[in-house]
Amino acid sequence: MVRIGLLGCGNVGKIIATHQDGFTVEALFDRLPDHAEELARICGAPAFSDFQEFISQDFDICVEAASVLAVREYAPKVLENRKNILILSVGALSDSYFRKVLLQKARDHNKKIHIPSGAIMGLDNLKVGQISRIESVLLRTTKSPESLGLSVSSKTLVFRGKANECVKQFPKNINVSVALALAADHDVDVELWADPDVDRNIHDIQVTGEFGEANIRIVNHPSPDNPATSYLAALSVLSLLKNLDSPLVIGS
Ligand SMILES: NC(=O)C1=CN([C@@H]2O[C@H](COP(=O)(O)OP(=O)(O)OC[C@H]3O[C@@H](n4cnc5c(N)ncnc54)[C@H](OP(=O)(O)O)[C@@H]3O)[C@@H](O)[C@H]2O)C=CC1
Ligand SMILES: O=C([O-])CC(=O)C(=O)O
């Protein structure tokens, strides 16, 4: 059974802690001790307020569900402490220097960095971009203004540009664009819309390349405790963890 340490005990952390299927939670850490203690009461794992104590516990993989800044601060230390890491706040990897350093640390310590599919679908076959020409990847995301921390009275384009710029402005909302860019090994053009008439998180993905064309639309239910985060993001972490040990590997 896979043993995990949970870094980030908010909305996604709580879903992970309440659905232990194919893995067990062994340790909890959050910058808000109350959040870690609440999950300790739910799942019985110990809560730590000191990161070094947390990372010294006996588990196989640290599951990050905290923030882009938490990845920058802690991911190198996770690998140095000889633990695998799952990174949900994948926007942190849009910085190519940080990504290079982190990948080297993973190699040095023979550990893996897992990027879950998060709030989208299609990352599996988008990896053909690493071996075959991709011409364009466009992500059009539409969320409610509240989940973007904005107040607008009609549908408004709040960002148009590249993924690595968008994630700097909206680090809590557009991690999926960086996951797409890493999978495809190609720049991702992003349009981010705030629409007061939607109560879903909608991601339209359009890809063209040597393979042909793909159009994917994901209309996500927001998660219970954080409307900016789609419920699918938490489910994707659960399914990745459940399959880590499986002899059957599905998808490219
Ligand atoms: N890859 C993807 O497809 C997706 C990624 N995400 C990302 O997943 C992450 C988790 O989402 P969600 O659970 O909804 O977020 P929440 O804000 O509900 O929970 C995050 C928790 O981590 C804590 N935290 C933040 N920064 C740090 C830090 N530096 N050190 C320790 N703890 C920290 C937060 O504390 P505090 O409240 O004080 O900030 C909070 O308790 C977010 O970064 C989100 O943007 C979300 C959806 C899709
Ligand atoms: O949950 C979503 O729909 C997308 C999201 O917040 C992110 O990519 O950061």
Side-chain angles (χ1 to χ4, degrees):
M1 184 83 86
V2 173
R3 298 160 305 160
I4 76 163
L6 203 43
L7 163 51
C9 300
N11 159 60
V12 171
K14 192 173 185 177
I15 297 168
I16 294 169
T18 45
H19 293 83
Q20 296 178 58
D21 177 10
F23 65 93
T24 58
V25 181
E26 301 294 333
L28 301 157
F29 177 77
D30 195 289
R31 69 175 166 198
L32 297 177
D34 285 359
H35 281 190
E37 280 153 22
E38 185 194 345
L39 294 205
R41 284 190 291 278
I42 291 173
C43 73
F48 296 91
S49 52
D50 177 75
F51 178 78
Q52 198 49 49
E53 253 191 273
F54 161 76
I55 203 64
S56 305
Q57 302 305 302
D58 193 14
F59 54 83
D60 311 302
I61 178 164
C62 175
V63 174
E64 178 279 326
S67 63
V68 163
L69 284 179
V71 174
R72 295 209 56 128
E73 183 173 359
Y74 296 119
K77 296 177 189 159
V78 170
L79 295 166
E80 284 160 14
N81 279 270
R82 297 178 187 285
K83 301 240 174 1
N84 300 300
I85 185 164
L86 179 157
I87 295 180
L88 191 57
S89 308
V90 61
L93 302 191
S94 66
D95 176 332
S96 58
Y97 179 72
F98 177 73
R99 188 169 73 241
K100 198 170 146 203
V101 169
L102 204 63
L103 287 174
Q104 192 53 49
K105 276 198 193 296
R107 280 189 204 99
D108 290 347
H109 298 291
N110 198 22
K111 292 292 152 199
K112 294 270 191 212
I113 302 167
H114 296 270
I115 307 298
S117 296
I120 51 173
M121 297 190 180
L123 282 188
D124 51 356
N125 244 349
L126 200 51
K127 287 188 279 184
V128 298
Q130 298 170 20
I131 55 155
S132 165
R133 184 172 41 81
I134 292 278
E135 278 142 17
S136 64
V137 186
L138 171 68
L139 169 70
R140 187 176 293 119
T141 290
T142 309
K143 290 189 173 185
S144 68
E146 308 80 64
S147 67
L148 293 167
L150 300 170
S151 167
V152 293
S153 54
S154 60
K155 187 173 176 181
T156 306
L157 180 64
V158 294
F159 179 92
R160 177 183 274 146
K162 298 293 180 198
N164 58 352
E165 287 305 318
C166 194
V167 82
K168 279 186 205 153
Q169 288 184 39
F170 295 92
K172 296 182 176 179
N173 284 285
I174 203 79
N175 288 281
V176 286
S177 66
V178 176
L180 286 168
L182 291 175
D185 194 19
H186 196 279
D187 268 356
V188 173
D189 295 308
V190 180
E191 285 180 18
L192 181 58
W193 293 82
D195 186 346
D197 294 328
V198 302
D199 58 1
R200 306 285 183 91
N201 297 333
I202 304 168
H203 302 291
D204 286 302
I205 301 164
Q206 295 173 11
V207 188
T208 61
E210 193 180 18
F211 74 92
E213 295 168 19
N215 292 288
I216 305 171
R217 162 166 270 222
I218 306 105
V219 181
N220 281 318
H221 289 296
S223 47
D225 291 334
N226 183 355
T229 293
S230 300
Y231 186 51
L232 179 63
L235 293 178
S236 90
V237 174
L238 292 176
S239 74
L240 189 154
L241 292 172
K242 186 180 166 70
N243 279 283
L244 265 185
D245 260 359
S246 172
L248 180 63
V249 179
I250 300 170
S252 52

